[in-house]
Amino acid sequence: MAFSKGYAGKVLRVNLSNQKISVEQLNERLATLFIGGRGLGAKLLFDEVKAGVDPLSEDNKLYFLTGPLAGTTSQASSRWMVVTKSPLSGTIIRSTGGADFGHELKSTGFDLIVIEGKAEKPTTLCIRDDKVEFKDASHIWGKEIDTETIQEILRRELGDEKMQIACVGTAGENGTLFASILSARRSASRGGVGTVMGSKNLKAIAVRGTAKTEVADKKKLNEITKQIVAEAIKTPMYEGFSHLGTPGATALMHEMGMHPAKNFQIGQLDDFSGLTPDKLQQIFVKDEGCCSCFIHCGSVFHVKEGLYKGDPVVAPEYETMWSFGANLSNTDLGFIVAANKVCDDFGVDTISAGSIIAFAMELYEKGILSKADLDGIDLTWGNHQEAYRLLMKIVQRKGIGSILALGTKRAAEQIGKGAAKYAMQVKGLEIPGYELRGAKAHGLNIATSNIGASHMTGYCTHELFGVPQPIDRFSVDGKGSLTKSIQDITATYDSLVICGFPTTFGWMVPETCARLLSAATGIEEFSDVNQLIKAGERIYTIERAFNVREGFARKDDYAPERFIKEPIPNGPCKGQVFENEVLLDDYYQARGWDVKTGIPTKEKMEELGLKSAAEELKKMGKM
Amino acid sequence: MAFSKGYAGKVLRVNLSNQKISVEQLNERLATLFIGGRGLGAKLLFDEVKAGVDPLSEDNKLYFLTGPLAGTTSQASSRWMVVTKSPLSGTIIRSTGGADFGHELKSTGFDLIVIEGKAEKPTTLCIRDDKVEFKDASHIWGKEIDTETIQEILRRELGDEKMQIACVGTAGENGTLFASILSARRSASRGGVGTVMGSKNLKAIAVRGTAKTEVADKKKLNEITKQIVAEAIKTPMYEGFSHLGTPGATALMHEMGMHPAKNFQIGQLDDFSGLTPDKLQQIFVKDEGCCSCFIHCGSVFHVKEGLYKGDPVVAPEYETMWSFGANLSNTDLGFIVAANKVCDDFGVDTISAGSIIAFAMELYEKGILSKADLDGIDLTWGNHQEAYRLLMKIVQRKGIGSILALGTKRAAEQIGKGAAKYAMQVKGLEIPGYELRGAKAHGLNIATSNIGASHMTGYCTHELFGVPQPIDRFSVDGKGSLTKSIQDITATYDSLVICGFPTTFGWMVPETCARLLSAATGIEEFSDVNQLIKAGERIYTIERAFNVREGFARKDDYAPERFIKEPIPNGPCKGQVFENEVLLDDYYQARGWDVKTGIPTKEKMEELGLKSAAEELKKMGKM
């Protein structure tokens, strides 16, 4: 069977326990059904990782994936994705990173790497085209060397400046449950993908390839890409994001009352003046972009004075602006930049890290954690110096930091005294910086997302940006089917491992997706928009099946009580609550799942070509 | 002119400013007059570095030297030495290190390296035989990576596991004035040689050679060496030092009242029970030795429990046992091991580091420094947890640590309020852990040593160990000439760059030195014991001439007032003071120097073949 161009279908399987490697050819039918990236990762995880496996044991597997557009001229589509079972949520997790690693991985000739087992000692996996080596990494393990320096050290050790490296930091080594994987200063950071990598004693994967990615119809792919770029750069979205990147959206969200403060106690800060775009502009140095992307959404900021003065750094994104900003009732931009740097240096998710500090701040406010419990830290709202001290304790797993390094859900269990009420998480994953009560489809996605509280699996641009058209964000009407359709098509896009911007910009719609995919791969089915949408639903459903097999169901699709019972006290969303029950009923109906249990029906799964998975669930009594 | 075997006489000159390198042949007459190592370093520094040069400017030079026995079968004689102008004392400084770097440097075919100028950015100098490269070290600079990891990172980067590396740590980078240079866990640590290296942006020197060191009479050299070893291993000294190393001597010095406590306020600790040899034995793991040495004086210790539990480490030496032990009124061995590790990790001299903490403790006791001055540190005697916090501040140059990182002399100037009285230093270099008042020749050497308060330039084994024969240590009689003769012959031995043990053991006497040197080099003059003794005096005097040119004189040869005015209050030395004036008069007379000024006479210098140096001093009005 010959594989289509732009899709070599080559899989590198690496067993760290016995250092065996094998190269496999991807089944073309599988590739057509699950596209690549997230889809393939979900299907492989379901098939290869048994139910109930400890995410941090050698039985868990880690998939590094690119998509079928990687390495081509297509823009914003050479990202890399990690799929595994999350130690934070216990669900499937998919997390993506940018910069140049995805392009380089594709250039080795491999579309994806499967990491199995656990290395005996700290190891770097080095892949140069089809040559794979295991290198001892004991000398850089447990040393608190920042991830950027680690990458540079490895590049020099491996004697190739162009080597692209994805690595874990100190947090990935020490078992912090929300550790990330970084390449350059971009990270796959949610759900503890770095913790899984660290648990396998895998410090880094270094890739360097010389293969050129062939495409089925180069001329056509180039034409579509040119057209996309030409149209995109005319949009106001491009104007905004290509300059200050995602943090530029902070002010807009604040104005909408969608940028919550004090661990979601209030809908917006009273005084937002420290975080406005002109304040960002004052520390802005330059744009920075990923490989094969014209947007250059990254920003280099430089805090030149005050407590947090330092070197220029790539930071922060919107979520970090929020998690260390309004979330902590902090408006000191210098602190946000510095905290972001600590997170990237040590390798942790900034959303979880900031949320955990906000959680601890509220526990301090409520008297559940005392100053003594916090190792002498006076963790009042907005006290960024003390927040910085706590952050260091968390990433180094020292004192109280060792408990908080487990994430809000597990930390709350250890702390007791009703702390769980203040853990702003769904399925163990901390909630990102948009108010659930102020945008119901957004909230519904957060509550139901297969990977825990992720905004990226069903980003409702309709509600947040009025793209492609504005809708009533407070209304629950039709939000079940809207959320379903966004989640499904996002699963399709994620299987191309493209960036989130193309959809936010509105240029990535199913039709463009079909055109790009078929031009690149030549696979007939990919030109059919309905097939692509169906693929998205298939992918979303196999992920849900994975979770169901682990015991997840309707009971796990709820936002914290605060969102359901406490109306937002201030701002444009004042009075709103999150109607979780109503929304769930509507959503399961739209999905054709069992409304009572939130579990996909056998019929639905068979319709999607997931018969064997359905049978497995049935046999286990899960359906 | 053909050079003798065992003495290639090859000099590598490296200019970091313009990256020019040159290879020079050593003048044989110079080699005969100054032997090698310390002697050559002193002569070259005097000739090449002008008076008044800022030690941390690019005009200062750094000499990395081996001796004529390096790389041969001769034991304990493959050490490496650094000579430069000290930023701590402003005098000439010579500091030696062990492990395998000296042997490897010699194997490149170079006897010494002259480092000039200042690199534009952090640099590693890589020498493989005669191939010299400048490698960018920006990625490992300013990162607080421990020196052992730095060496391992560079070895892998340079692709050769056998590369020997001498490097500075964070303290050498950040300008701490008593920064050391480390190779393996051995360091050239006194007088800020690492600060000079760091000021030149030189992170490391990596050497690897394949040259075999030829000797003039191999058979004879082997015979002498065998004989030395056979006799040495029978001595009780070998018994003691080959097992627990220098820290084994701590109890003996304590019993003699020579192991002072509380910044030299008292002659010995009241309770020494935490530091006895059996306590050391409890954490002892194994011996560790340098290249080409049968003694294996190094010890690996492992603190397995308590506050300071950690991995096994090579540490501490006698001086460190004292500086972080009795000196701070501390008997927690775990703290001493941990503090030693911090010093080696960050690259600072343990004697200066501990002494500065003792100084700060006394200032705290006397009310000169408050808790607020100390950034909230409660620095009472024996409070090792607080001492540890302060040590971290010093090596990182944070808060009060930034001032204390300048050494006791400069820190006292900045602090004012009579703090200088409590700075236990001579010429800016902190005094090591032997009581000056309890051993007068020892004290006289400390007061007059060319490099500031060093015990290694005139170690009086007669007084401390009764070797070669015991003398009255409290008496001042004859101590001037005794000190002179020990200082001179030590200068000879140091020019071979041998270890201090051979003299402590009593196997290295002028006769053995002559036999070893002539067998190795075939240079006729070296077989004449009197010539070797004369060479030592020549070397000692050219060093003094260097200092005189910088403005040093009799006024600088005094111990701190405490030693002269305060009788020791307790222990076997109770009631003793240090008779500085009387001893100085006697000493200068023995040296044939001007008694009033402490400056060598023109006649003496001419007698030693230092005519041009004498003329320079004369011309400058210094004589």
Side-chain angles (χ1 to χ4, degrees):
Chain A
M1 181 172 64
F3 271 83
S4 306
K5 288 185 172 176
Y7 208 147
K10 242 169 84 185
V11 180
L12 175 65
R13 188 175 293 270
V14 178
N15 188 309
L16 292 170
S17 299
N18 57 19
Q19 299 208 343
K20 282 201 178 152
I21 64 155
S22 59
V23 177
E24 298 165 9
Q25 200 65 26
L26 208 61
N27 178 305
E28 189 169 281
R29 184 166 153 68
L30 211 66
T32 312
L33 288 172
F34 293 92
I35 305 174
R38 175 171 160 190
L40 271 182
K43 171 65 175 158
L44 293 172
L45 190 79
F46 187 92
D47 289 350
E48 298 186 355
V49 174
K50 288 204 171 63
V53 155
D54 175 355
L56 300 181
S57 73
E58 56 186 306
D59 295 330
N60 195 7
K61 299 190 186 188
L62 195 62
Y63 300 84
F64 277 81
L65 308 120
T66 60
L69 296 176
T72 74
T73 53
S74 174
Q75 297 290 289
S77 38
S78 283
R79 286 167 72 81
W80 50 283
M81 178 180 281
V82 179
V83 170
T84 189
K85 180 176 176 183
S86 164
L88 197 60
S89 59
T91 65
I92 188 172
I93 182 77
R94 123 273 177 267
S95 192
T96 59
D100 305 345
F101 184 82
H103 182 99
E104 202 64 38
L105 170 55
K106 181 79 173 192
S107 301
T108 63
F110 294 111
D111 292 82
L112 66 101
I113 311 173
V114 186
I115 305 288
E116 307 179 339
K118 177 182 178 174
E120 203 179 318
K121 57 183 178 182
T123 298
T124 296
L125 184 66
C126 177
I127 304 166
R128 300 182 215 239
D129 290 322
D130 55 359
K131 194 177 154 227
V132 181
E133 288 173 289
F134 298 87
K135 301 265 190 185
D136 178 32
S138 306
H139 61 307
I140 48 172
W141 185 273
K143 304 287 185 182
E144 295 198 358
I145 305 173
D146 69 89
T147 54
E148 202 168 13
T149 300
I150 287 288
Q151 293 170 58
E152 191 54 31
I153 286 170
L154 287 175
R155 252 189 290 275
R156 300 201 189 196
E157 185 176 317
L158 300 170
D160 188 341
E161 280 185 24
K162 293 187 173 170
M163 208 113 209
Q164 294 302 326
I165 292 161
C167 69
V168 297
T170 303
E173 296 164 359
N174 70 22
T176 297
L177 282 187
F178 44 93
S180 57
I181 301 170
L182 283 102
S183 188
R185 289 301 258 193
R186 302 287 175 149
S187 58
S189 53
R190 300 230 74 195
V193 290
T195 319
V196 174
M197 187 162 164
S199 76
K200 296 187 172 307
N201 272 334
L202 184 59
K203 180 67 186 173
I205 300 181
V207 292
R208 180 85 168 98
T210 54
K212 255 196 131 162
T213 305
E214 299 280 317
V215 294
D217 191 337
K218 196 171 172 181
K219 201 179 150 200
K220 197 170 168 190
L221 185 66
N222 289 351
E223 260 173 30
I224 307 166
T225 299
K226 271 188 197 165
Q227 197 186 340
I228 285 172
V229 175
E231 284 173 19
I233 60 176
K234 288 184 215 149
T235 63
M237 283 292 208
Y238 175 75
E239 189 75 23
F241 286 115
S242 75
H243 178 43
L244 281 178
T246 59
T250 311
L252 173 63
M253 289 302 129
H254 168 76
E255 281 158 28
M256 288 168 71
M258 283 295 292
H259 196 70
K262 289 189 171 184
N263 201 34
F264 292 91
Q265 289 189 81
I266 54 176
Q268 61 177 193
L269 281 178
D270 290 335
D271 178 7
F272 186 74
S273 59
L275 303 174
T276 52
D278 62 301
K279 294 294 192 312
L280 273 167
Q281 188 58 49
Q282 286 170 13
I283 58 166
F284 175 81
V285 180
K286 61 171 183 176
D287 294 334
E288 211 203 52
C290 298
C291 181
S292 306
C293 181
F294 68 101
I295 306 173
H296 283 213
C297 68
S299 298
V300 175
F301 292 114
H302 190 184
V303 178
K304 290 181 192 160
E305 51 195 27
L307 271 175
Y308 303 104
K309 71 178 172 186
D311 295 326
V313 281
V314 182
E317 295 290 339
Y318 168 85
E319 290 299 336
T320 315
M321 283 289 287
W322 167 77
S323 67
F324 291 110
N327 194 28
L328 309 184
S329 195
N330 162 61
T331 56
D332 187 307
L333 207 45
F335 164 72
I336 297 174
V337 172
N340 196 145
K341 184 172 186 309
V342 169
C343 291
D344 286 349
D345 282 352
F346 282 80
V348 293
D349 177 21
T350 58
I351 300 177
S352 284
S355 298
I356 288 161
I357 294 173
F359 163 69
M361 280 182 166
E362 186 161 3
L363 295 187
Y364 189 56
E365 179 191 67
K366 301 289 191 286
I368 294 172
L369 282 181
S370 69
K371 196 169 164 184
D373 293 332
L374 290 165
D375 304 329
I377 294 175
D378 183 26
L379 204 63
T380 48
W381 291 110
N383 191 336
H384 48 79
Q385 282 185 263
E386 294 291 79
Y388 190 92
R389 280 180 66 198
L390 185 61
L391 177 61
M392 289 307 297
K393 280 185 174 279
I394 292 171
V395 294
Q396 297 181 315
R397 294 208 68 173
K398 286 185 180 163
I400 181 71
S402 192
I403 294 170
L404 297 175
L406 303 174
T408 51
K409 187 182 170 192
R410 281 176 185 71
E413 286 164 9
Q414 291 216 7
I415 293 164
K417 305 181 199 169
K421 192 178 161 190
Y422 308 103
M424 297 296 111
Q425 51 79 28
V426 181
K427 302 183 183 68
L429 189 70
E430 283 70 26
I431 299 172
Y434 303 90
E435 180 49 67
L436 277 59
R437 292 162 285 193
K440 305 300 161 68
H442 165 79
L444 182 55
N445 170 62
I446 292 285
T448 58
S449 171
N450 285 326
I451 64 174
S454 166
H455 57 307
M456 293 306 291
T457 54
Y459 198 92
C460 186
T461 53
H462 310 64
E463 288 180 343
L464 298 172
F465 295 108
V467 172
Q469 63 279 327
I471 55 169
D472 180 358
R473 59 191 171 102
F474 297 146
S475 164
V476 297
D477 291 347
K479 294 297 169 74
S481 64
L482 178 63
T483 299
K484 172 196 180 292
S485 68
I486 296 173
Q487 285 178 337
D488 288 350
I489 197 65
T490 301
T492 301
Y493 300 154
D494 265 0
S495 300
L496 273 60
V497 198
I498 58 165
C499 179
F501 270 124
T503 41
T504 320
F505 277 43
W507 99 55
M508 181 57 84
V509 291
E511 288 70 23
T512 340
C513 184
R515 289 173 68 206
L516 283 166
L517 260 186
S518 56
T521 66
I523 295 178
E524 185 58 30
E525 287 91 330
F526 286 160
S527 62
D528 180 348
V529 167
N530 290 327
Q531 292 252 27
L532 284 182
I533 294 174
K534 203 67 172 172
E537 187 177 5
R538 180 180 303 119
I539 292 161
Y540 200 87
T541 308
I542 189 76
E543 290 177 339
R544 182 78 179 188
F546 179 92
N547 291 349
V548 168
R549 198 171 61 178
E550 298 292 334
F552 289 87
R554 177 170 179 138
K555 67 181 166 39
D556 303 297
D557 288 343
Y558 287 86
E561 198 183 82
R562 163 160 295 160
F563 297 93
I564 301 168
K565 294 195 175 161
E566 298 174 19
I568 300 181
N570 68 337
C573 306
K574 188 173 173 175
Q576 288 292 325
V577 291
F578 181 65
E579 300 88 340
N580 213 137
E581 298 289 1
V582 176
L583 284 159
L584 274 190
D585 289 350
D586 187 28
Y587 172 76
Y588 295 140
Q589 266 158 12
R591 282 222 166 272
W593 293 356
D594 183 283
V595 175
K596 207 173 140 200
T597 62
I599 292 172
T601 59
K602 191 160 168 287
E603 296 66 33
K604 173 51 84 177
M605 287 183 71
E606 283 176 1
E607 174 203 322
L608 293 167
L610 300 172
K611 194 177 171 185
S612 65
E615 280 167 3
E616 190 182 336
L617 295 184
K618 190 97 188 160
K619 208 189 286 179
M620 290 174 77
K622 299 278 185 187
M623 190 184 271
Chain B
M1 181 173 62
F3 272 82
S4 307
K5 288 185 170 175
Y7 209 147
K10 242 168 84 184
V11 179
L12 174 67
R13 190 175 291 273
V14 178
N15 189 308
L16 293 170
S17 300
N18 57 20
Q19 299 208 344
K20 280 201 180 154
I21 65 155
S22 59
V23 177
E24 297 165 10
Q25 199 66 25
L26 209 60
N27 177 304
E28 188 168 279
R29 185 166 152 69
L30 210 67
T32 312
L33 288 172
F34 293 93
I35 306 174
R38 175 169 160 191
L40 271 182
K43 172 64 175 159
L44 293 171
L45 189 79
F46 187 92
D47 289 351
E48 297 186 356
V49 174
K50 287 203 173 64
V53 155
D54 175 355
L56 300 182
S57 74
E58 56 185 307
D59 295 330
N60 195 8
K61 299 190 186 186
L62 194 63
Y63 300 83
F64 276 81
L65 308 120
T66 61
L69 297 176
T72 73
T73 53
S74 174
Q75 296 291 287
S77 38
S78 283
R79 285 168 73 82
W80 51 283
M81 179 179 279
V82 179
V83 170
T84 189
K85 181 176 176 183
S86 164
L88 197 60
S89 60
T91 66
I92 188 172
I93 182 77
R94 121 277 175 267
S95 192
T96 61
D100 305 344
F101 184 81
H103 182 97
E104 202 65 37
L105 171 53
K106 181 78 172 192
S107 303
T108 62
F110 294 112
D111 292 83
L112 64 100
I113 312 172
V114 187
I115 306 288
E116 306 179 341
K118 178 182 176 173
E120 204 178 316
K121 58 182 177 184
T123 297
T124 296
L125 185 65
C126 177
I127 304 166
R128 299 181 216 239
D129 289 321
D130 55 359
K131 193 177 156 229
V132 181
E133 288 174 290
F134 299 87
K135 299 266 188 185
D136 177 32
S138 307
H139 61 307
I140 48 172
W141 186 273
K143 304 286 184 182
E144 295 199 356
I145 305 174
D146 69 89
T147 53
E148 202 168 13
T149 301
I150 287 288
Q151 293 170 57
E152 190 54 31
I153 287 170
L154 287 175
R155 250 190 292 275
R156 300 200 189 197
E157 185 175 318
L158 299 169
D160 188 342
E161 279 185 24
K162 293 187 174 170
M163 209 113 208
Q164 295 301 326
I165 292 161
C167 70
V168 296
T170 303
E173 296 164 359
N174 71 22
T176 297
L177 281 187
F178 45 92
S180 57
I181 301 171
L182 283 102
S183 189
R185 287 303 257 193
R186 302 285 175 152
S187 58
S189 54
R190 301 230 72 195
V193 290
T195 319
V196 175
M197 186 162 164
S199 76
K200 296 189 173 305
N201 273 335
L202 184 58
K203 180 66 185 174
I205 300 182
V207 292
R208 179 84 167 100
T210 54
K212 256 198 132 161
T213 305
E214 299 280 317
V215 294
D217 190 337
K218 196 173 171 179
K219 202 179 148 198
K220 199 169 166 190
L221 185 66
N222 288 352
E223 261 171 29
I224 308 167
T225 300
K226 271 187 196 165
Q227 196 184 339
I228 285 172
V229 175
E231 284 172 19
I233 59 174
K234 288 184 215 150
T235 62
M237 283 293 208
Y238 175 74
E239 189 75 21
F241 285 115
S242 73
H243 178 43
L244 281 178
T246 59
T250 310
L252 173 64
M253 289 301 129
H254 168 74
E255 280 157 27
M256 289 169 69
M258 283 295 291
H259 196 71
K262 288 188 171 184
N263 201 35
F264 292 91
Q265 289 189 81
I266 52 176
Q268 60 177 194
L269 281 179
D270 290 334
D271 178 8
F272 186 73
S273 59
L275 303 174
T276 52
D278 61 301
K279 293 294 192 314
L280 274 166
Q281 188 59 48
Q282 284 170 14
I283 59 166
F284 175 82
V285 179
K286 60 171 182 176
D287 294 334
E288 209 203 54
C290 298
C291 182
S292 306
C293 181
F294 67 101
I295 306 173
H296 282 213
C297 69
S299 297
V300 176
F301 292 115
H302 190 185
V303 178
K304 290 181 192 162
E305 50 195 28
L307 271 173
Y308 302 106
K309 71 178 173 187
D311 294 326
V313 281
V314 183
E317 295 290 338
Y318 169 85
E319 291 299 337
T320 315
M321 282 289 287
W322 166 78
S323 68
F324 290 111
N327 194 28
L328 308 184
S329 197
N330 163 61
T331 56
D332 187 307
L333 207 47
F335 164 71
I336 298 175
V337 172
N340 196 146
K341 184 172 186 310
V342 169
C343 291
D344 287 349
D345 283 351
F346 282 80
V348 294
D349 178 21
T350 58
I351 301 177
S352 285
S355 298
I356 288 161
I357 294 172
F359 163 70
M361 279 183 168
E362 187 161 4
L363 295 186
Y364 189 57
E365 179 191 67
K366 301 288 190 284
I368 295 171
L369 283 181
S370 68
K371 196 168 163 182
D373 293 332
L374 290 166
D375 304 328
I377 293 175
D378 183 26
L379 204 62
T380 48
W381 292 110
N383 191 337
H384 49 80
Q385 282 185 262
E386 293 291 79
Y388 190 93
R389 280 180 66 198
L390 185 62
L391 177 62
M392 288 307 297
K393 279 185 174 280
I394 293 171
V395 294
Q396 297 181 315
R397 294 207 69 173
K398 286 187 179 160
I400 182 69
S402 193
I403 294 170
L404 297 175
L406 302 174
T408 51
K409 188 183 170 191
R410 283 177 183 72
E413 285 163 8
Q414 291 217 10
I415 293 164
K417 306 181 198 168
K421 193 178 159 190
Y422 306 103
M424 296 297 111
Q425 52 78 28
V426 181
K427 301 182 184 69
L429 190 69
E430 284 69 27
I431 299 173
Y434 303 90
E435 179 49 67
L436 278 58
R437 292 163 283 193
K440 304 301 161 67
H442 166 78
L444 183 54
N445 169 63
I446 292 285
T448 59
S449 171
N450 285 326
I451 63 174
S454 166
H455 57 307
M456 292 306 291
T457 55
Y459 198 91
C460 187
T461 53
H462 311 64
E463 289 180 343
L464 299 173
F465 295 108
V467 173
Q469 62 280 326
I471 55 169
D472 179 358
R473 58 191 173 103
F474 297 147
S475 165
V476 297
D477 291 348
K479 295 296 170 76
S481 64
L482 178 64
T483 299
K484 171 196 180 292
S485 67
I486 296 175
Q487 286 178 337
D488 288 350
I489 198 65
T490 301
T492 302
Y493 299 153
D494 265 0
S495 300
L496 273 60
V497 197
I498 57 165
C499 179
F501 270 125
T503 41
T504 319
F505 276 43
W507 99 55
M508 181 56 85
V509 291
E511 289 70 23
T512 341
C513 185
R515 290 172 69 206
L516 283 167
L517 260 186
S518 54
T521 67
I523 295 178
E524 185 58 29
E525 287 91 332
F526 285 161
S527 62
D528 180 349
V529 166
N530 291 326
Q531 291 252 28
L532 284 182
I533 294 173
K534 204 64 170 174
E537 187 176 7
R538 180 179 305 116
I539 293 161
Y540 201 87
T541 308
I542 190 75
E543 289 177 341
R544 183 77 179 188
F546 180 91
N547 290 349
V548 167
R549 198 172 62 177
E550 298 292 334
F552 288 87
R554 177 169 178 137
K555 66 178 169 39
D556 303 299
D557 289 342
Y558 287 87
E561 200 182 81
R562 162 161 294 162
F563 297 92
I564 300 166
K565 295 195 175 161
E566 298 174 19
I568 300 182
N570 67 338
C573 305
K574 187 171 175 178
Q576 288 291 326
V577 291
F578 181 64
E579 301 89 340
N580 211 136
E581 297 290 0
V582 176
L583 285 160
L584 273 190
D585 288 350
D586 187 30
Y587 172 76
Y588 295 139
Q589 265 159 13
R591 282 223 166 272
W593 293 356
D594 184 283
V595 173
K596 207 174 138 198
T597 61
I599 291 172
T601 61
K602 190 161 169 286
E603 295 68 32
K604 174 51 88 179
M605 287 184 72
E606 282 175 1
E607 175 204 320
L608 293 169
L610 301 171
K611 195 176 169 186
S612 66
E615 279 167 2
E616 190 182 335
L617 294 184
K618 190 97 189 158
K619 210 189 283 179
M620 291 174 76
K622 300 277 186 190
M623 191 183 272

